[in-house]
Amino acid sequence: MRQTEYKDIILTLGRDRLVIQKRYKFASILNDFLIAVWFLIGSIMFLYPDLVRMGTWFFVVGSAQLLIRPCIRLAHHVHLKKLPEPHWEM
């Protein structure tokens, strides 16, 4: 099993701690959840003629978050690492 080089994210809430171990997976799940929320709210707003315009904006936000999905996956697979300084001796 390969050990990850990323540190856990730990949020302290009073006497409790929230530990996020797989940050990219967490970000992806949170993003998917928010997409569902925006589209559900937008769909409900479309049932009321006075709220159609605002509902359209919820769809726009949800659609923008659909663009974030591949960005999260790409960030998970591509990382920049600082190379150690070369020590040239002559």
Side-chain angles (χ1 to χ4, degrees):
M1 182 180 254
R2 195 176 112 199
Q3 183 178 358
T4 180
E5 61 189 57
Y6 305 106
K7 295 181 180 179
D8 295 343
I9 297 172
I10 301 172
L11 302 172
T12 303
L13 307 168
R15 293 171 53 186
D16 298 318
R17 291 192 318 177
L18 174 65
V19 179
I20 301 171
Q21 295 177 334
K22 297 181 180 182
R23 69 177 82 176
Y24 290 107
K25 186 171 264 191
F26 175 78
S28 180
I29 292 169
L30 180 63
N31 187 57
D32 288 347
F33 176 77
L34 289 174
I35 291 168
V37 168
W38 303 141
F39 277 99
L40 179 62
I41 292 172
S43 297
I44 292 170
M45 287 181 167
F46 262 67
L47 297 174
Y48 302 97
D50 295 341
L51 299 176
V52 169
R53 186 176 182 129
M54 190 183 304
T56 302
W57 280 107
F58 275 87
F59 285 127
V60 169
V61 170
S63 297
Q65 279 194 267
L66 284 173
L67 287 172
I68 294 173
R69 294 177 87 190
C71 295
I72 292 171
R73 283 188 302 210
L74 185 62
H76 181 251
H77 294 290
V78 176
H79 299 282
L80 293 175
K81 291 185 180 180
K82 189 171 188 159
L83 296 175
E85 293 291 327
H87 298 292
W88 294 93
E89 292 185 25
M90 292 190 163

